Amino acid sequence: GGLTSLHTRSGEIREVGRKNHFMEKMISFGWPNEVNSVPVQQYCLGEDGDSGERVEYENALLVTDGFLVPGRDNGGLYVVQQPGDEAEWKVCLAGGESAVGDEASWFYHRAIWVDLTGDGRLSILTARAKRPSILKNGEGDTSSNLVSHNNINGGGKSNGNGQLVWLERPKPYKYDKETNTPLDVDGTVFDPFSARNTPWKVRVLDSGPDVMFSVADMDTQDGTIEVIASQFFGKCISLHSIKIGPTPFVSFSRIIDATCGASFSSLLANLDPQQTMSPGIVIDSGSTVPTLKKGDFFTHLLVTSHECTFEHEDSTKTPSTTTQKSSPKQTIRMEGPIDGGSLFAYTIPPNWKTDTWERTVMATGFKVKTQIWNMINPGAPGFCYTFYPSLKCNQERKTRPLIGISGDCAEAAYLLRPVVTSAAAAASTDYTLMAEIDTGGTVGSIAIGYDDFCGVEGQSKGDVKIYVPSFEQGKILVFALGNGEEDEECDDWDEECLRAKDNYINTRL
């Protein structure tokens, strides 16, 4: 697999790993997953000798790689420097083809930059998994390889085969006394991605987390940060407190929900902007669409359950039963009972270590389309996202956000909006289906932005743009969301309408 970038203003498409005269072969990946930026590590010695950082970014990408598909499960963590240029090259930080022993045959979905050592060094926190042995034997279902949980909240460990992992950023050998430039052992400028300093040291912090996770600081006074993991193979939601220090370690862990099924997304969201108290602050919201940034308040944890329930032939002929207003083509329900994949919202209690995290079913009924390509461990839905209809609303964040969901093998994208009633207050998790976008192909994720798209006429400045890929169709569908009038208030959701711009870009996958 490869990486392709789309410039939303010009429409230019660039490929990462295109063969050029500097390389014998193109850069490629087994199965690339989430792509992240690479922040510049700013070294500045203080009185205590610690180094600091400021947010600037290198011309590089952090790529997580690997999947449970046979032949693609030997993944790794990579930094691609100068992506898309002729001089681009790939550096392996963990895993990869050369990995042996305990470090071989892991695949990675998500990795973030975070200071776990308390000295300003931005190391990598990630989760990884191995293909379950039952899948390696070709028997399909993974359920018998996993522990059965009987309670929704509780302590203990999952029986998944994932690991929460810390990759320590190497330290410079010394600093230049006059310029404070970090230097390597041979006197050259220190480069953490050079052959001398890679791969990075890998340390396992805990077992269980395998795919996606978010990070919060639930108690800003105790010197820990909390990883909230959606365990796909472990079929649970877990929390892990990491003690920050020279040697980080997990000081507390618990199972939040043991009945959620194969969980996937783990997203911190603010569904009650009027609330003045927060259970914690965001370190990393868990999404490629960072509506909430570091230091923001959050009120809920949003989780998708990625289930393999196939759509029956007659399911598209009869509208789903729901108490909400429904489109004749609506295939999901906005309330229980649970049927297929679902979107859950968890309310975080004040005593988050021991009390129950109340679960609400926000949407359910996500079903896998019966297609020839949906044969190896298919499921639906995929990731969830929060966003606003315009850049102005995103900056103000006075109202509840919209929610986007990638359907994955449901071959659709879904947009949910808050329910506005005449009652004194609607429940913060009360949402309804705004649009269901059928694509005819797998929708593994979606992208969201507020830039004008390619100068297309009819766009209002700052309207949100929603990019929906259709993998098997080889297309990216682009939609703009407007509220009818450019200066409309951000809280009148009933007037929102989806405007299909009838634009798509053929991707070269």
Side-chain angles (χ1 to χ4, degrees), residues 399-413:
T399 59
R400 288 184 286 163
L402 299 169
I403 295 176
I405 305 171
S406 63
D408 208 346
C409 296
E411 299 187 356

Side-chain angles (χ1 to χ4, degrees), residues 172-193:
Y173 179 72
K174 63 180 180 178
Y175 294 87
D176 185 278
K177 293 181 180 179
E178 295 182 0
T179 65
N180 197 39
T181 302
L183 302 176
D184 219 322
V185 65
D186 60 354
T188 60
V189 175
F190 177 74
D191 179 4
F193 305 123

Side-chain angles (χ1 to χ4, degrees), residues 68 70 131-145 308 375-378:
L68 51 74
R131 187 157 51 101
S133 58
I134 197 165
L135 277 181
K136 292 182 180 180
N137 294 333
E139 298 177 33
D141 183 27
T142 64
S143 58
S144 62
N145 197 44
C308 182
M375 300 303 292
I376 300 178
N377 207 51

Side-chain angles (χ1 to χ4, degrees), residues 60-81:
L61 298 172
L62 175 65
V63 182
T64 57
D65 180 51
F67 195 46
L68 51 74
V69 175
R72 307 296 179 91
D73 56 343
N74 192 26
L77 278 177
Y78 300 93
V79 167
V80 179
Q81 297 186 307

Side-chain angles (χ1 to χ4, degrees), residues 224-257:
T224 68
I225 59 174
E226 281 64 49
V227 175
I228 306 174
S230 295
Q231 295 191 30
F232 179 78
F233 295 108
K235 295 190 176 182
C236 66
I237 310 297
S238 60
L239 181 146
H240 311 257
S241 292
I242 301 176
K243 186 69 174 179
I244 305 298
T247 307
F249 64 94
V250 171
S251 58
F252 170 82
S253 64
R254 68 169 294 194
I255 300 297
I256 292 172
D257 186 354

Side-chain angles (χ1 to χ4, degrees), residues 41-42 44-53 113-124 166-169 171 175 223-225 242-249 294:
Q41 178 71 64
Q42 201 72 19
C44 51
L45 292 180
E47 294 181 356
D48 58 357
D50 290 342
S51 60
E53 41 131 339
W113 302 94
V114 63
D115 176 14
L116 293 180
T117 48
D119 58 5
R121 283 183 296 149
L122 293 177
S123 296
I124 293 175
W166 163 46
L167 275 69
E168 182 180 7
R169 188 186 195 96
K171 290 182 179 180
Y175 294 87
T224 68
I225 59 174
I242 301 176
K243 186 69 174 179
I244 305 298
T247 307
F249 64 94
K294 185 176 181 179

Side-chain angles (χ1 to χ4, degrees), residues 388-460:
Y388 284 89
S390 69
L391 179 61
K392 177 184 176 183
C393 295
N394 183 58
Q395 293 169 339
E396 295 176 348
R397 287 187 278 173
K398 293 180 179 178
T399 59
R400 288 184 286 163
L402 299 169
I403 295 176
I405 305 171
S406 63
D408 208 346
C409 296
E411 299 187 356
Y414 307 84
L415 305 182
L416 311 182
R417 66 168 176 83
V419 171
V420 179
T421 68
S422 57
S428 58
T429 56
D430 196 2
Y431 275 66
T432 191
L433 182 66
M434 182 179 178
E436 181 175 328
I437 305 169
D438 294 323
T439 70
T442 303
V443 182
S445 63
I446 61 179
I448 294 167
Y450 299 94
D451 288 340
D452 288 346
F453 177 69
C454 295
V456 175
E457 295 182 2
Q459 300 178 79
S460 296

